[in-house]
Amino acid sequence: MTFTRRTFMQAATATGALSAFARPALANIRWDMADEYGAQALSGKASTFFLSELEKKVGDALTITYQGGGALGYKSVDHFDAVQDGAVQAAVTLVTQLGGIDPFFNLSSLPFIASTPEEAFLLWQAAREEYAKIFEDNGMVLLWAMPNPPSGINAPRPITSVDALKDLRIRTYDVNGTETMMNAGAAPLQVAWSDLIPQLSTGGIDAVLTSADGAMQLSLWDYVSDFTEMNYAMGLFMCHVNKDEFDALPEEVQAAMLEIVPACDAYNWEIMRDSIDAAYAKMSENGMKITLDDDVPAEVFDFLKAAGAKVKEGWLAETGDRGAAVLAKFEELKATAG
């Protein structure tokens, strides 16, 4: 498994690794990294950090070109097959788009399971081995995760009553959100990131389930007036690479790539936390009203949690012992941390 391999690989010193990379035979390996989102999105910033840290360790032994904004023609839903088949060597993928491949990928977007960044990190730690196994079984290596900030509702009105959800034509980003919003009486439509603005512009949808950072990236204030903080879920992006391509790398490059994973996770959670206040400030500057969760009546949360509970039950039925074990481990980690 990826993260146990990292343990003994750390024995190589930075000096020894860098001297090894001076040999011409190790230079000029080139990869592409696909990302449906852009360089200014959190997934892009996470990718930039990863590539910068990797370059510090390996120099030009491996050059990975970040292909953001869907430059290679792939959306997140396409990444699993594209990397598995070697069409692209690496990708950063919103894994909640991969539930059709394995329902376990829907874990991070289960509504109201992890309600803080700290809990989202513990959930990632609890599930990491299972995620890594899925990728490994399909010819890939899992590296790091980038959490989305907590999802809220961008809409023409604040979501401060149950009635505000009724028949709301809201964009969702995966099956969990679609089912939850449908259970809550809304009219959800699952829409890819790249198709979101056209849907808003043409009236196909009138609300968006996404984070404040997502709202800022797309200037959603041009289309809706309100953002209601829900702390609904923090879906994960994951960086994964083709295993054959990874195994073909010099051992020193493999080791360096694995060694920087903890630093990538730490950086990614830090920028996620920082992004929340920054996005709220930008949204407010552009006239968007922010309704914090403390100002949302408890009955709204109770209603949404009841709608989401059915989704959790369905997920557990699909994932069986795997899902139950990970949620139990998550509860143990929370108890220890608390």
Side-chain angles (χ1 to χ4, degrees):
M1 198 273 289
T2 300
F3 300 98
T4 56
R5 287 181 64 186
R6 176 172 58 84
T7 304
F8 68 82
M9 286 178 174
Q10 287 177 325
T13 65
T15 301
L18 288 174
S19 64
F21 297 139
R23 296 193 300 268
L26 298 186
N28 301 321
I29 301 172
R30 296 186 177 275
W31 284 12
D32 284 317
M33 171 182 270
D35 183 7
E36 179 182 356
Y37 297 74
Q40 295 307 308
L42 290 178
S43 60
K45 293 177 180 178
S47 299
T48 298
F49 179 81
F50 165 66
L51 297 178
S52 174
E53 292 300 297
L54 186 61
E55 184 179 13
K56 290 176 186 176
K57 285 185 170 289
V58 308
D60 66 352
L62 173 63
T63 300
I64 303 178
T65 301
Y66 171 73
Q67 303 281 5
L72 297 178
Y74 300 119
K75 297 177 181 179
S76 279
V77 71
D78 306 315
H79 285 174
F80 193 91
D81 289 341
V83 176
Q84 181 184 39
D85 295 343
V88 63
Q89 294 88 356
V92 55
T93 302
L94 183 60
V95 297
T96 58
Q97 299 290 304
L98 305 180
I101 294 170
D102 191 312
F104 194 86
F105 282 122
N106 291 328
L107 169 62
S108 65
S109 68
L110 288 177
F112 305 109
I113 298 297
S115 58
T116 67
E118 292 73 25
E119 288 185 353
F121 183 75
L122 294 178
L123 186 59
W124 160 236
Q125 293 299 300
R128 190 173 201 157
E129 288 186 11
E130 185 60 36
Y131 284 129
K133 184 177 185 301
I134 297 170
F135 281 110
E136 184 177 3
D137 288 347
N138 288 276
M140 287 173 275
V141 176
L142 172 63
L143 296 179
W144 44 263
M146 172 71 237
N148 259 319
S151 298
I153 297 178
N154 302 263
R157 56 186 180 271
I159 309 301
T160 52
S161 70
V162 170
D163 286 343
L165 290 163
K166 187 176 180 181
D167 297 325
L168 186 68
R169 293 179 303 165
I170 184 168
R171 173 264 183 174
T172 58
Y173 48 81
D174 70 349
V175 64
N176 285 347
T178 301
E179 292 182 9
T180 299
M181 290 299 157
M182 192 175 295
N183 292 342
L189 178 65
Q190 190 171 328
V191 178
W193 184 254
S194 56
D195 299 328
L196 204 162
I197 292 302
Q199 285 286 342
L200 278 171
S201 301
T202 59
I205 55 175
D206 50 27
V208 179
L209 179 68
T210 192
S211 66
D213 183 76
M216 181 181 68
Q217 294 297 329
L218 291 180
S219 302
L220 289 186
W221 49 77
D222 290 336
Y223 306 93
V224 297
S225 60
D226 284 78
F227 176 83
T228 304
E229 185 180 71
M230 288 288 177
N231 294 318
Y232 165 86
M234 284 160 272
L236 292 180
F237 288 87
M238 293 182 195
C239 177
H240 51 111
V241 303
N242 180 277
K243 190 174 189 304
D244 287 341
E245 296 281 357
F246 179 84
D247 289 344
L249 294 171
E251 290 185 3
E252 298 92 339
V253 179
Q254 295 180 36
M257 193 177 289
L258 296 173
E259 284 169 7
I260 62 176
V261 165
C264 289
D265 281 344
Y267 173 82
N268 295 344
W269 256 263
E270 180 182 359
I271 63 170
M272 185 268 270
R273 293 186 189 94
D274 292 345
S275 76
I276 298 172
D277 289 340
Y280 284 175
K282 187 70 173 179
M283 293 159 75
S284 297
E285 287 173 11
N286 285 275
M288 203 167 187
K289 180 183 176 184
I290 311 294
T291 300
L292 300 177
D293 59 356
D294 288 344
D295 297 320
V296 178
E299 66 178 22
V300 175
F301 282 109
D302 291 342
F303 182 71
L304 281 171
K305 287 177 180 178
K310 300 174 184 177
V311 175
K312 177 185 173 183
E313 291 170 5
W315 182 82
L316 282 169
E318 287 185 294
T319 58
D321 291 342
R322 292 188 301 156
V326 164
L327 289 185
K329 186 174 181 180
F330 173 53
E331 293 300 327
E332 291 174 6
L333 290 176
K334 282 200 299 181
T336 301

